[in-house]
Coordinates of all heavy atoms in Angstrom, one line a residue:
M1 N 111.0 107.7 103.2 CA 109.7 107.2 103.0 C 109.2 106.4 104.3 O 110.0 105.9 105.0 CB 109.7 106.2 101.8 CG 108.4 105.7 101.4 SD 108.3 104.9 99.8 CE 109.1 103.3 100.3
L2 N 107.9 106.4 104.4 CA 107.3 105.8 105.6 C 106.3 104.7 105.2 O 105.5 105.0 104.3 CB 106.6 106.8 106.5 CG 106.1 106.4 107.8 CD1 107.2 106.3 108.8 CD2 105.0 107.3 108.3
R3 N 106.4 103.5 105.8 CA 105.4 102.5 105.5 C 104.4 102.5 106.7 O 104.8 102.4 107.8 CB 106.0 101.1 105.4 CG 106.8 101.0 104.1 CD 107.3 99.6 103.9 NE 108.0 99.5 102.6 CZ 109.1 98.8 102.5 NH1 109.6 98.1 103.4 NH2 109.7 98.8 101.3
H4 N 103.1 102.5 106.4 CA 102.1 102.5 107.4 C 101.2 101.2 107.1 O 100.6 101.1 106.1 CB 101.2 103.8 107.2 CG 100.0 103.9 108.0 ND1 100.1 104.0 109.4 CD2 98.7 103.9 107.7 CE1 98.9 104.1 109.9 NE2 98.0 104.0 108.9
I5 N 101.3 100.3 108.1 CA 100.6 99.0 108.0 C 99.6 98.9 109.1 O 100.0 99.0 110.3 CB 101.6 97.9 108.0 CG1 102.7 98.1 106.9 CG2 101.0 96.5 107.8 CD1 103.9 97.3 107.0
V6 N 98.4 98.6 108.8 CA 97.3 98.4 109.8 C 96.5 97.1 109.5 O 96.2 96.9 108.3 CB 96.4 99.6 109.8 CG1 95.4 99.5 111.0 CG2 97.2 100.9 109.9
M7 N 96.3 96.4 110.5 CA 95.4 95.1 110.4 C 94.1 95.4 111.1 O 94.1 96.0 112.1 CB 96.2 94.0 111.0 CG 97.5 93.7 110.4 SD 98.4 92.3 111.2 CE 98.6 93.0 112.8
Y8 N 93.0 94.9 110.4 CA 91.7 95.2 111.0 C 90.9 93.9 111.1 O 91.0 93.0 110.3 CB 90.9 96.1 110.0 CG 91.5 97.5 109.8 CD1 92.4 97.7 108.8 CD2 91.0 98.5 110.6 CE1 92.9 99.0 108.7 CE2 91.5 99.8 110.4 CZ 92.4 100.0 109.4 OH 92.9 101.3 109.3
K9 N 90.0 93.9 112.2 CA 89.0 92.9 112.4 C 87.7 93.6 112.0 O 87.4 94.7 112.3 CB 88.9 92.5 113.8 CG 90.0 91.6 114.2 CD 89.7 91.1 115.7 CE 90.9 90.2 116.2 NZ 90.6 89.7 117.5
L10 N 86.8 92.8 111.3 CA 85.5 93.3 110.9 C 84.4 92.7 111.8 O 84.6 91.6 112.4 CB 85.3 92.9 109.5 CG 86.2 93.5 108.4 CD1 86.0 92.9 107.1 CD2 86.1 95.0 108.4
R11 N 83.3 93.4 111.8 CA 82.1 92.9 112.5 C 81.8 91.5 112.0 O 81.8 91.2 110.8 CB 80.9 93.8 112.4 CG 81.1 95.2 112.9 CD 79.8 96.0 112.8 NE 78.8 95.4 111.9 CZ 78.4 96.0 110.8 NH1 79.0 97.1 110.3 NH2 77.5 95.4 110.0
E12 N 81.4 90.6 112.9 CA 81.0 89.3 112.5 C 79.7 89.2 111.7 O 79.5 88.3 110.9 CB 80.9 88.4 113.8 CG 82.2 88.0 114.4 CD 83.1 87.3 113.5 OE1 82.7 86.4 112.7 OE2 84.4 87.5 113.5
D13 N 78.9 90.2 111.9 CA 77.5 90.2 111.2 C 77.6 90.8 109.8 O 76.5 91.0 109.2 CB 76.5 90.9 112.1 CG 76.8 92.4 112.3 OD1 78.0 92.8 112.1 OD2 75.9 93.2 112.6
C14 N 78.7 91.2 109.3 CA 78.8 91.8 108.0 C 79.3 90.8 107.0 O 79.9 89.8 107.3 CB 79.6 93.0 108.0 SG 81.4 92.8 108.1
D15 N 79.0 91.0 105.7 CA 79.6 90.2 104.6 C 81.0 90.8 104.4 O 81.2 91.8 103.9 CB 78.8 90.4 103.3 CG 79.3 89.6 102.2 OD1 80.5 89.5 102.1 OD2 78.5 89.2 101.3
K16 N 82.0 90.0 105.0 CA 83.3 90.5 105.0 C 83.9 90.8 103.7 O 84.6 91.8 103.5 CB 84.2 89.5 105.8 CG 83.8 89.6 107.3 CD 84.7 88.7 108.2 CE 84.2 88.8 109.6 NZ 85.1 88.1 110.5
A17 N 83.7 89.9 102.7 CA 84.2 90.2 101.4 C 83.7 91.5 100.8 O 84.5 92.3 100.2 CB 83.9 89.0 100.4
K18 N 82.4 91.7 100.9 CA 81.8 92.9 100.4 C 82.3 94.2 101.2 O 82.6 95.2 100.6 CB 80.3 92.9 100.5 CG 79.7 92.0 99.4 CD 78.2 92.1 99.4 CE 77.6 91.1 98.4 NZ 76.1 91.1 98.4
A19 N 82.5 94.0 102.5 CA 83.0 95.1 103.3 C 84.4 95.5 102.9 O 84.7 96.7 102.7 CB 82.9 94.8 104.8
I20 N 85.2 94.5 102.7 CA 86.6 94.8 102.3 C 86.7 95.5 100.9 O 87.4 96.4 100.7 CB 87.5 93.5 102.3 CG1 87.6 93.0 103.7 CG2 88.8 93.7 101.6 CD1 88.2 91.6 103.8
E21 N 85.8 95.0 100.0 CA 85.8 95.7 98.7 C 85.3 97.1 98.8 O 85.8 98.0 98.1 CB 84.9 94.9 97.7 CG 85.6 93.7 97.1 CD 86.9 94.1 96.3 OE1 86.8 94.9 95.4 OE2 88.0 93.7 96.7
E22 N 84.3 97.4 99.6 CA 83.8 98.7 99.8 C 84.9 99.6 100.4 O 85.1 100.7 99.9 CB 82.6 98.8 100.7 CG 82.0 100.1 100.8 CD 80.7 100.2 101.6 OE1 80.2 99.1 102.0 OE2 80.3 101.3 101.9
I23 N 85.6 99.1 101.4 CA 86.7 99.9 102.0 C 87.8 100.1 101.0 O 88.3 101.2 100.9 CB 87.2 99.1 103.2 CG1 86.1 99.1 104.3 CG2 88.5 99.7 103.8 CD1 86.3 98.1 105.5
R24 N 88.1 99.1 100.2 CA 89.2 99.2 99.2 C 88.9 100.3 98.2 O 89.7 101.1 97.9 CB 89.4 97.8 98.5 CG 90.6 97.8 97.6 CD 90.9 96.4 97.1 NE 89.9 96.0 96.1 CZ 90.0 96.4 94.8 NH1 90.9 97.2 94.4 NH2 89.1 96.0 93.9
H25 N 87.7 100.2 97.7 CA 87.2 101.2 96.7 C 87.2 102.6 97.2 O 87.3 103.6 96.5 CB 85.9 100.8 96.1 CG 86.0 99.7 95.1 ND1 86.7 99.7 93.9 CD2 85.6 98.4 95.2 CE1 86.6 98.6 93.3 NE2 86.0 97.7 94.1
A26 N 87.0 102.7 98.6 CA 86.9 104.1 99.2 C 88.3 104.6 99.4 O 88.6 105.8 99.2 CB 86.2 104.0 100.5
L27 N 89.3 103.8 99.9 CA 90.6 104.2 100.3 C 91.7 104.2 99.3 O 92.4 105.2 99.2 CB 91.1 103.4 101.5 CG 90.4 103.7 102.9 CD1 90.9 102.6 103.9 CD2 90.7 105.1 103.3
E28 N 91.7 103.2 98.4 CA 92.9 103.1 97.5 C 92.9 104.3 96.5 O 94.0 104.8 96.2 CB 92.8 101.8 96.7 CG 93.3 100.6 97.6 CD 93.3 99.3 96.8 OE1 92.9 99.3 95.6 OE2 93.8 98.3 97.4
P29 N 91.8 104.9 96.1 CA 91.9 106.1 95.2 C 92.5 107.3 95.9 O 92.8 108.3 95.2 CB 90.5 106.3 94.8 CG 89.8 105.0 94.9 CD 90.4 104.4 96.1
L30 N 92.7 107.3 97.2 CA 93.3 108.5 97.8 C 94.8 108.6 97.5 O 95.3 109.7 97.6 CB 93.1 108.4 99.4 CG 91.7 108.4 99.9 CD1 91.6 108.2 101.4 CD2 90.9 109.6 99.4
A31 N 95.4 107.6 97.1 CA 96.8 107.7 96.7 C 96.9 108.5 95.4 O 96.2 108.4 94.5 CB 97.4 106.3 96.4
G32 N 97.7 109.6 95.5 CA 97.8 110.5 94.4 C 96.9 111.7 94.6 O 97.1 112.7 93.9
V33 N 95.9 111.6 95.5 CA 95.0 112.7 95.8 C 95.4 113.4 97.0 O 95.5 114.6 97.1 CB 93.6 112.2 95.9 CG1 92.6 113.3 96.4 CG2 93.1 111.6 94.6
V34 N 95.8 112.6 98.0 CA 96.2 113.1 99.3 C 97.7 113.4 99.2 O 98.5 112.5 98.9 CB 95.9 112.1 100.5 CG1 96.5 112.6 101.8 CG2 94.4 111.9 100.6
P35 N 98.1 114.6 99.5 CA 99.6 115.0 99.3 C 100.4 114.0 100.2 O 100.1 113.8 101.4 CB 99.7 116.4 99.8 CG 98.3 117.0 99.6 CD 97.4 115.8 99.8
G36 N 101.5 113.5 99.6 CA 102.4 112.7 100.3 C 102.0 111.2 100.4 O 102.8 110.4 100.9
L37 N 100.8 110.9 100.1 CA 100.4 109.4 100.1 C 100.8 108.8 98.7 O 100.2 109.2 97.7 CB 98.9 109.3 100.3 CG 98.3 107.9 100.2 CD1 99.0 106.9 101.1 CD2 96.8 108.0 100.4
I38 N 101.8 108.0 98.7 CA 102.4 107.5 97.5 C 101.6 106.3 97.0 O 101.3 106.2 95.8 CB 103.8 107.0 97.8 CG1 104.7 108.3 98.2 CG2 104.4 106.3 96.6 CD1 106.0 108.0 98.8
S39 N 101.2 105.4 97.9 CA 100.4 104.2 97.5 C 99.6 103.7 98.6 O 100.0 103.9 99.8 CB 101.4 103.1 96.9 OG 102.2 102.5 98.0
M40 N 98.6 102.9 98.3 CA 97.7 102.3 99.3 C 97.1 101.0 98.8 O 96.6 101.1 97.6 CB 96.6 103.2 99.8 CG 95.8 102.6 100.9 SD 94.6 103.8 101.6 CE 95.7 104.8 102.6
Q41 N 97.2 100.0 99.5 CA 96.6 98.7 99.1 C 95.8 98.1 100.3 O 96.2 98.2 101.5 CB 97.6 97.7 98.8 CG 98.4 98.0 97.6 CD 99.5 97.0 97.3 OE1 99.8 96.1 98.1 NE2 100.1 97.1 96.1
I42 N 94.6 97.7 100.0 CA 93.7 97.0 101.0 C 93.6 95.6 100.5 O 93.1 95.3 99.3 CB 92.3 97.6 101.1 CG1 92.4 99.2 101.2 CG2 91.5 97.0 102.1 CD1 93.0 99.6 102.5
R43 N 93.9 94.6 101.3 CA 93.8 93.2 100.9 C 93.3 92.3 102.0 O 93.7 92.5 103.2 CB 95.2 92.6 100.5 CG 95.8 93.3 99.2 CD 95.0 93.0 98.0 NE 95.6 93.6 96.8 CZ 95.3 94.9 96.4 NH1 94.5 95.6 97.0 NH2 95.9 95.3 95.3
P44 N 92.5 91.3 101.7 CA 92.0 90.4 102.8 C 93.2 89.6 103.2 O 94.1 89.3 102.4 CB 91.0 89.5 102.1 CG 91.2 89.7 100.6 CD 91.9 91.0 100.4
T45 N 93.2 89.1 104.5 CA 94.2 88.3 105.0 C 94.0 86.8 104.5 O 92.9 86.5 104.0 CB 94.3 88.3 106.5 OG1 93.1 87.8 107.0 CG2 94.6 89.7 107.0
L46 N 94.9 86.0 104.7 CA 94.8 84.6 104.3 C 94.4 83.7 105.5 O 94.7 82.6 105.6 CB 96.1 84.1 103.7 CG 96.5 84.8 102.4 CD1 97.8 84.3 101.9 CD2 95.4 84.7 101.3
G47 N 93.8 84.4 106.5 CA 93.5 83.7 107.7 C 94.1 84.4 108.9 O 94.8 85.4 108.8
G48 N 93.9 83.8 110.1 CA 94.4 84.4 111.3 C 93.5 85.3 112.0 O 92.2 85.3 111.8
E49 N 94.0 86.1 112.8 CA 93.2 87.0 113.8 C 92.5 88.1 113.1 O 91.4 88.6 113.5 CB 94.1 87.5 114.9 CG 93.4 88.1 116.0 CD 94.4 88.5 117.1 OE1 95.5 87.9 117.2 OE2 94.1 89.4 117.9
Y50 N 93.1 88.7 112.0 CA 92.6 89.9 111.4 C 92.0 89.5 110.0 O 92.3 88.5 109.4 CB 93.7 90.9 111.2 CG 94.1 91.4 112.6 CD1 95.2 90.9 113.2 CD2 93.4 92.5 113.2 CE1 95.6 91.4 114.5 CE2 93.8 92.9 114.4 CZ 94.9 92.4 115.1 OH 95.2 92.8 116.3
D51 N 91.0 90.4 109.5 CA 90.3 90.1 108.3 C 91.0 90.8 107.1 O 90.9 90.3 106.0 CB 88.9 90.6 108.4 CG 88.1 89.8 109.5 OD1 88.1 88.6 109.4 OD2 87.6 90.5 110.5
Y52 N 91.6 92.0 107.3 CA 92.2 92.6 106.1 C 93.4 93.5 106.6 O 93.5 93.8 107.8 CB 91.2 93.4 105.2 CG 90.8 94.8 105.8 CD1 91.5 95.9 105.4 CD2 89.7 94.9 106.6 CE1 91.1 97.2 105.8 CE2 89.3 96.1 107.0 CZ 90.0 97.3 106.6 OH 89.5 98.5 107.1
V53 N 94.2 93.8 105.7 CA 95.4 94.6 105.9 C 95.4 95.9 105.0 O 95.1 95.7 103.8 CB 96.7 93.8 105.7 CG1 97.9 94.7 105.9 CG2 96.8 92.6 106.7
L54 N 95.8 97.0 105.6 CA 96.0 98.2 104.8 C 97.5 98.4 104.8 O 98.2 98.4 105.9 CB 95.3 99.4 105.5 CG 95.6 100.8 104.9 CD1 94.3 101.6 105.2 CD2 96.8 101.4 105.5
Y55 N 98.1 98.5 103.6 CA 99.5 98.8 103.4 C 99.6 100.1 102.7 O 99.0 100.2 101.6 CB 100.2 97.6 102.7 CG 101.6 97.9 102.3 CD1 102.6 97.7 103.2 CD2 101.9 98.5 101.1 CE1 103.9 98.0 102.9 CE2 103.2 98.8 100.8 CZ 104.2 98.5 101.6 OH 105.5 98.8 101.3
S56 N 100.3 101.1 103.2 CA 100.4 102.3 102.5 C 101.8 102.9 102.7 O 102.5 102.5 103.6 CB 99.4 103.4 103.0 OG 99.4 103.5 104.4
E57 N 102.2 103.7 101.7 CA 103.5 104.3 101.7 C 103.3 105.8 101.7 O 102.5 106.3 100.8 CB 104.4 103.9 100.6 CG 104.7 102.4 100.7 CD 105.6 101.9 99.6 OE1 105.6 102.5 98.5 OE2 106.2 100.8 99.7
F58 N 104.0 106.6 102.5 CA 104.0 108.0 102.6 C 105.4 108.6 102.4 O 106.4 107.9 102.7 CB 103.4 108.5 104.0 CG 102.0 108.2 104.2 CD1 101.6 107.0 104.6 CD2 101.0 109.1 103.9 CE1 100.2 106.7 104.8 CE2 99.7 108.9 104.1 CZ 99.3 107.6 104.5
A59 N 105.4 109.8 101.9 CA 106.7 110.4 101.6 C 107.5 110.6 102.9 O 108.7 110.4 102.9 CB 106.5 111.8 101.0
D60 N 106.8 110.9 104.0 CA 107.5 111.1 105.3 C 106.5 111.1 106.4 O 105.3 110.9 106.2 CB 108.3 112.4 105.3 CG 107.5 113.6 104.8 OD1 106.3 113.6 105.1 OD2 108.0 114.4 104.1
R61 N 106.9 111.2 107.6 CA 106.1 111.3 108.8 C 105.1 112.4 108.8 O 103.9 112.2 109.2 CB 106.9 111.4 110.1 CG 107.6 110.1 110.5 CD 108.3 110.3 111.8 NE 109.2 109.2 112.0 CZ 109.7 108.9 113.2 NH1 109.5 109.7 114.2 NH2 110.5 107.8 113.4
D62 N 105.5 113.5 108.3 CA 104.6 114.7 108.2 C 103.4 114.4 107.3 O 102.3 114.8 107.5 CB 105.3 115.9 107.8 CG 106.3 116.5 108.8 OD1 106.1 116.1 110.0 OD2 107.2 117.2 108.5
S63 N 103.7 113.7 106.2 CA 102.6 113.3 105.3 C 101.6 112.4 105.9 O 100.4 112.6 105.7 CB 103.2 112.6 104.0 OG 104.1 113.5 103.3
L64 N 102.1 111.4 106.7 CA 101.2 110.6 107.4 C 100.3 111.3 108.4 O 99.1 111.1 108.5 CB 101.9 109.4 108.1 CG 101.1 108.5 109.0 CD1 100.0 107.8 108.2 CD2 102.0 107.5 109.7
E65 N 100.9 112.2 109.1 CA 100.2 113.0 110.1 C 99.1 113.9 109.4 O 98.0 114.0 109.9 CB 101.1 113.9 110.9 CG 101.9 113.1 112.0 CD 101.0 112.2 112.9 OE1 100.1 112.8 113.4 OE2 101.3 111.0 113.0
A66 N 99.5 114.5 108.3 CA 98.6 115.3 107.5 C 97.4 114.5 106.9 O 96.3 115.0 106.9 CB 99.3 116.1 106.4
Y67 N 97.7 113.3 106.5 CA 96.7 112.4 106.0 C 95.6 112.1 107.0 O 94.4 112.1 106.6 CB 97.4 111.0 105.6 CG 96.4 109.9 105.4 CD1 95.7 109.7 104.2 CD2 96.3 108.9 106.4 CE1 94.9 108.7 104.0 CE2 95.5 107.8 106.2 CZ 94.8 107.7 105.0 OH 93.9 106.6 104.8
K68 N 95.9 112.0 108.3 CA 95.0 111.7 109.3 C 93.8 112.7 109.4 O 92.7 112.3 109.7 CB 95.7 111.5 110.7 CG 96.6 110.3 110.7 CD 97.3 110.3 112.0 CE 98.3 109.1 112.1 NZ 99.1 109.1 113.3
S69 N 94.1 113.9 109.1 CA 93.0 114.9 109.1 C 92.7 115.5 107.7 O 91.9 116.4 107.6 CB 93.5 116.1 110.0 OG 94.6 116.7 109.5
N70 N 93.2 114.9 106.7 CA 92.9 115.3 105.3 C 91.4 115.2 105.0 O 90.8 114.1 105.3 CB 93.7 114.5 104.3 CG 93.5 114.9 102.9 OD1 92.5 114.5 102.3 ND2 94.4 115.7 102.3
P71 N 90.8 116.1 104.4 CA 89.3 116.1 104.2 C 88.9 114.8 103.3 O 87.9 114.2 103.6 CB 89.0 117.3 103.4 CG 90.1 118.3 103.8 CD 91.3 117.5 104.1
S72 N 89.7 114.4 102.4 CA 89.4 113.3 101.6 C 89.4 112.0 102.4 O 88.6 111.1 102.2 CB 90.4 113.1 100.4 OG 90.3 114.2 99.5
H73 N 90.4 111.9 103.3 CA 90.5 110.8 104.2 C 89.3 110.8 105.2 O 88.6 109.8 105.4 CB 91.8 110.7 104.9 CG 91.9 109.7 105.9 ND1 92.2 109.9 107.3 CD2 91.8 108.3 105.8 CE1 92.2 108.8 107.9 NE2 92.0 107.8 107.1
M74 N 89.0 112.0 105.7 CA 87.9 112.1 106.7 C 86.6 111.7 106.1 O 85.7 111.2 106.8 CB 87.9 113.5 107.3 CG 89.1 113.9 108.1 SD 89.5 112.8 109.4 CE 88.2 113.3 110.5
A75 N 86.4 112.0 104.8 CA 85.2 111.7 104.1 C 84.9 110.2 104.0 O 83.8 109.7 104.0 CB 85.2 112.3 102.7
V76 N 86.0 109.3 103.9 CA 85.8 107.9 103.8 C 85.9 107.2 105.1 O 85.6 106.0 105.2 CB 86.7 107.3 102.7 CG1 86.5 107.9 101.4 CG2 88.2 107.4 103.1
K77 N 86.4 107.8 106.1 CA 86.6 107.2 107.4 C 85.3 106.6 108.0 O 85.4 105.5 108.5 CB 87.2 108.2 108.4 CG 88.1 107.7 109.4 CD 88.8 108.8 110.1 CE 89.5 108.3 111.3 NZ 90.2 109.3 112.1
P78 N 84.1 107.2 107.8 CA 82.9 106.6 108.3 C 82.6 105.2 107.7 O 82.0 104.3 108.4 CB 81.8 107.6 108.0 CG 82.5 108.9 107.9 CD 83.9 108.6 107.4
I79 N 83.0 105.0 106.5 CA 82.8 103.7 105.8 C 83.6 102.7 106.5 O 83.1 101.6 106.9 CB 83.2 103.8 104.3 CG1 82.3 104.7 103.6 CG2 83.2 102.4 103.7 CD1 82.8 105.1 102.2
V80 N 84.9 103.0 106.8 CA 85.8 102.0 107.5 C 85.2 101.7 108.9 O 85.1 100.6 109.3 CB 87.2 102.5 107.5 CG1 88.1 101.6 108.3 CG2 87.8 102.7 106.1
H81 N 84.9 102.8 109.6 CA 84.5 102.6 111.0 C 83.1 101.9 111.1 O 82.8 101.4 112.2 CB 84.6 103.9 111.7 CG 86.0 104.3 112.0 ND1 86.6 104.0 113.2 CD2 86.9 105.0 111.2 CE1 87.9 104.5 113.1 NE2 88.1 105.0 111.9
S82 N 82.3 101.9 110.1 CA 81.1 101.2 110.2 C 81.2 99.7 110.2 O 80.3 99.0 110.6 CB 80.1 101.6 109.0 OG 80.6 101.1 107.8
Y83 N 82.4 99.2 109.8 CA 82.7 97.8 109.7 C 83.7 97.2 110.7 O 83.6 96.1 111.1 CB 83.2 97.4 108.3 CG 82.2 97.5 107.2 CD1 82.4 98.5 106.2 CD2 81.1 96.7 107.1 CE1 81.5 98.6 105.2 CE2 80.2 96.8 106.1 CZ 80.4 97.8 105.1 OH 79.5 97.9 104.1
I84 N 84.6 98.0 111.2 CA 85.7 97.5 112.0 C 85.3 97.4 113.5 O 84.5 98.1 114.0 CB 87.0 98.3 111.8 CG1 86.9 99.7 112.3 CG2 87.4 98.3 110.4 CD1 88.2 100.4 112.4
T85 N 86.0 96.4 114.1 CA 85.8 96.3 115.6 C 87.2 96.5 116.3 O 87.2 96.8 117.4 CB 85.3 94.9 115.9 OG1 86.1 93.8 115.5 CG2 83.9 94.7 115.4
E86 N 88.3 96.1 115.6 CA 89.6 96.3 116.1 C 90.6 96.6 115.0 O 90.4 96.3 113.9 CB 90.1 95.0 116.8 CG 89.4 94.6 118.1 CD 89.9 93.3 118.7 OE1 91.2 93.2 118.7 OE2 89.1 92.5 119.1
R87 N 91.7 97.2 115.5 CA 92.8 97.5 114.6 C 94.1 97.5 115.3 O 94.1 97.7 116.5 CB 92.6 98.9 113.9 CG 92.8 100.1 114.8 CD 92.5 101.4 114.2 NE 93.4 101.8 113.2 CZ 94.6 102.4 113.4 NH1 95.0 102.7 114.7 NH2 95.4 102.8 112.5
S88 N 95.2 97.2 114.6 CA 96.5 97.2 115.1 C 97.4 97.6 114.0 O 97.3 97.1 112.9 CB 96.9 95.8 115.7 OG 98.2 95.8 116.2
G89 N 98.3 98.5 114.3 CA 99.2 99.0 113.2 C 100.6 99.3 113.7 O 100.9 99.3 114.9
A90 N 101.4 99.6 112.7 CA 102.8 100.0 112.9 C 103.3 100.8 111.7 O 102.8 100.6 110.6 CB 103.7 98.8 113.1
D91 N 104.2 101.7 112.0 CA 104.8 102.5 111.0 C 106.3 102.1 111.0 O 106.9 102.0 112.0 CB 104.6 104.0 111.2 CG 103.2 104.3 111.3 OD1 102.4 103.8 110.5 OD2 102.8 105.2 112.1
T92 N 106.9 102.1 109.8 CA 108.4 101.9 109.7 C 108.9 102.9 108.7 O 108.3 103.3 107.7 CB 108.7 100.5 109.2 OG1 108.2 100.2 107.9 CG2 108.2 99.4 110.2
E93 N 110.1 103.3 108.9 CA 110.8 104.2 108.0 C 111.6 103.3 107.0 O 112.2 102.3 107.4 CB 111.7 105.2 108.7 CG 110.9 106.3 109.4 CD 111.7 107.4 109.9 OE1 112.8 107.1 110.6 OE2 111.4 108.5 109.7
V94 N 111.7 103.7 105.8 CA 112.4 103.0 104.7 C 113.7 103.8 104.4 O 113.6 105.0 104.2 CB 111.5 102.8 103.5 CG1 112.3 102.1 102.4 CG2 110.3 102.1 103.9

């Protein structure tokens, strides 16, 4: 199993709470739809440099790579990119 964790900064001119909810409602339902995507959670941070964190679990590295170009993921990507200014992530094997 692979854990995919990404932290995001949002534009200063947006309503961050609403943006996070919109992103969460767009991405979390992909778990169980995208092959190999076991779970996905979007949560606001409790302060610090980033505004929210995406935590997801994939069956393996190939599943994560396939997710990146999956049509369902590509359809919601513009929502995320309309709000973010920076991202930083890491993957770990379990």
Side-chain angles (χ1 to χ4, degrees):
M1 186 169 74
L2 187 81
R3 289 185 179 143
H4 176 66
I5 303 164
V6 186
M7 301 176 298
Y8 294 90
K9 284 186 185 181
L10 298 171
R11 294 186 344 252
E12 288 300 321
D13 66 337
C14 73
D15 180 326
K16 292 184 179 185
K18 285 184 181 180
I20 293 167
E21 278 305 299
E22 183 177 354
I23 292 166
R24 186 174 75 80
H25 286 291
L27 285 174
E28 286 185 353
L30 297 179
V33 172
V34 175
L37 174 56
I38 299 165
S39 68
M40 180 172 290
Q41 296 178 350
I42 310 295
R43 297 293 183 269
T45 63
L46 300 176
E49 190 175 338
Y50 293 94
D51 296 303
Y52 78 93
V53 174
L54 176 150
Y55 173 87
S56 54
E57 294 179 342
F58 289 85
D60 51 35
R61 287 183 188 196
D62 291 339
S63 297
L64 174 58
E65 287 306 310
Y67 165 78
K68 293 176 182 178
S69 62
N70 180 280
S72 296
H73 176 237
M74 296 303 289
V76 301
K77 215 170 169 183
I79 296 169
V80 175
H81 286 267
S82 72
Y83 291 113
I84 65 169
T85 59
E86 289 183 44
R87 68 184 292 277
S88 181
D91 302 323
T92 62
E93 287 189 313
V94 179

